[in-house]
């Protein structure tokens, strides 16, 4: 069970980094886009990158209750 | 020719209205989630210590992986829409399928968490006090949104394959992307309040 948790945490950190990079790149590419939906997209992408960071930190055991 | 120009003008004029209408729907959904989230935070801060005695143990490792899967689906759907804008249907379909699969993965992870809570901790919606009621209500409501989103995206993908949207007129795909981002962002909050703080 403990080994399984290590695999889950490692995967969370690895994929979290991928997601963070993808969200950051998408945000950079969309930065100059105009229109109401693009403004919302930018906000959502920023929050997505933040969420990915939370996933990475939780996977590393820096934050979280377990 | 004149009909095409009129159709284009009608599309441009109504597009912002449709996007705004959908954003209003999202705001109403946000109010629904906010009500439950603030109720949970209120109960949490007015009780005698948190977590309450006997509260089930949540699996942070699984939740972190599950969260990353859902956040990843936010990135894949963004790539799907970008590819549609660049008139690459096959890549669009691939990223949409990836989004749907990640959504299913998230729901499966949630199912494993529920099963574990039910069998190991004997936790349930009605039988685990404030914590169980809040946890199952909020995550369950979010899970229903993810489930609806998976159906929504599947329908959009099928409609796109049937030619319902063109590379010029694709508001439906934009709105689907907005909805999925919204579901992602709500999970950032739920993940934080249940697993991190």
């Amino acid at each position: 069970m403990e080994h399984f948790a290590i695999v889950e945490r490692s995967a969370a950190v690895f994929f979290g980094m991928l997601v963070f990079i993808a969200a950051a790149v998408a945000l950079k590419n969309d930065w100059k886009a105009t229109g109401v939906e693009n403004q919302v997209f930018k906000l959502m992408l920023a929050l997505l990158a933040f969420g990915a960071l939370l996933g990475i930190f939780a996977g590393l055991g820096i934050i979280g209750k377990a | 020719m004149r009909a095409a120009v009129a159709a284009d003008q009608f599309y441009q004029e109504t597009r912002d209205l449709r996007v705004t209408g959908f954003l209003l729907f999202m705001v109403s959904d946000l109010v629904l989630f906010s009500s439950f989230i603030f109720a949970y935070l209120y109960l949490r801060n007015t009780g005698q210590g948190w977590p309450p005695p006997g509260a089930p143990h949540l699996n942070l490792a699984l939740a972190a992986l599950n969260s990353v899967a859902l956040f990843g689906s936010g990135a894949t759907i963004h790539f799907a829409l970008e590819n549609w804008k660049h008139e690459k249907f096959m890549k669009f379909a691939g990223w949409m399928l990836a989004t749907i699969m990640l959504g299913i993965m998230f729901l499966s992870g949630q199912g494993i968490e529920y099963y574990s809570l039910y069998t190991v901790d004997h936790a349930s919606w009605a039988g685990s006090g404030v914590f169980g009621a809040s946890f199952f209500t909020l995550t369950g409501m979010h899970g229903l949104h993810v489930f609806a989103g998976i159906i929504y995206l599947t329908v959009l993908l099928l409609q796109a394959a049937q030619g319902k949207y063109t590379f010029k007129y694709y508001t439906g795909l934009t709105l689907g992307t907005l909805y999925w981002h919204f579901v992602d962002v709500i999970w950032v909050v739920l993940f934080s309040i249940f697993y991190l703080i």
Side-chain angles (χ1 to χ4, degrees), chain B residues 69-89:
Chain B
L70 191 66
F71 301 149
S73 73
T76 55
I77 198 166
H78 192 79
F79 295 147
L81 189 65
E82 285 303 310
N83 276 292
W84 184 270
K85 287 177 185 171
H86 291 95
E87 307 189 2
K88 293 173 185 165
F89 175 78

Side-chain angles (χ1 to χ4, degrees), chain B residues 24-153:
Chain B
L24 283 175
F25 154 71
M26 278 170 46
V27 168
S28 72
D29 226 13
L30 184 66
V31 170
L32 177 73
F33 273 104
S34 302
S35 310
F36 281 98
I37 287 167
F38 282 108
Y40 164 71
L41 292 175
Y42 175 78
L43 290 169
R44 186 180 163 136
N45 289 311
T46 50
Q48 295 167 348
W50 196 268
H57 175 75
L58 297 175
N59 186 344
L60 177 64
L62 175 65
L65 181 58
N66 221 13
S67 303
V68 167
L70 191 66
F71 301 149
S73 73
T76 55
I77 198 166
H78 192 79
F79 295 147
L81 189 65
E82 285 303 310
N83 276 292
W84 184 270
K85 287 177 185 171
H86 291 95
E87 307 189 2
K88 293 173 185 165
F89 175 78
M90 290 311 289
K91 282 189 176 178
F92 159 80
W95 285 119
M96 278 294 263
L97 274 176
T99 307
I100 292 166
M101 294 311 293
L102 284 168
I104 292 171
M105 222 177 108
F106 173 81
L107 280 187
S108 306
Q110 196 79 340
I112 292 169
E113 171 94 303
Y114 276 19
Y115 181 76
S116 166
L117 284 172
Y118 185 70
T119 54
V120 178
D121 294 299
H122 304 291
S124 64
W125 178 72
S128 304
V130 170
F131 182 86
S134 311
F135 177 80
F136 285 110
T137 300
L138 270 165
T139 58
M141 196 164 69
H142 177 266
L144 277 178
H145 278 73
V146 175
F147 181 68
I150 289 169
I151 293 170
Y152 185 12
L153 295 186

Side-chain angles (χ1 to χ4, degrees), chain B residues 9-24:
Chain B
Q9 193 180 351
F10 176 76
Y11 175 79
Q12 295 300 340
E13 283 172 357
T14 57
R15 188 178 183 283
D16 279 352
L17 276 177
R18 278 179 282 163
V19 171
T20 308
F22 196 81
L23 288 175
L24 283 175

Side-chain angles (χ1 to χ4, degrees), chain A residues 7 11 13 17-18 21 24-25 29 31 40 46 49 54 60:
Chain A
V7 172
V13 172
M17 285 196 271
L18 284 185
I21 292 167
V25 169
N29 290 340
W31 193 252
V40 179
L54 290 180
L60 290 171

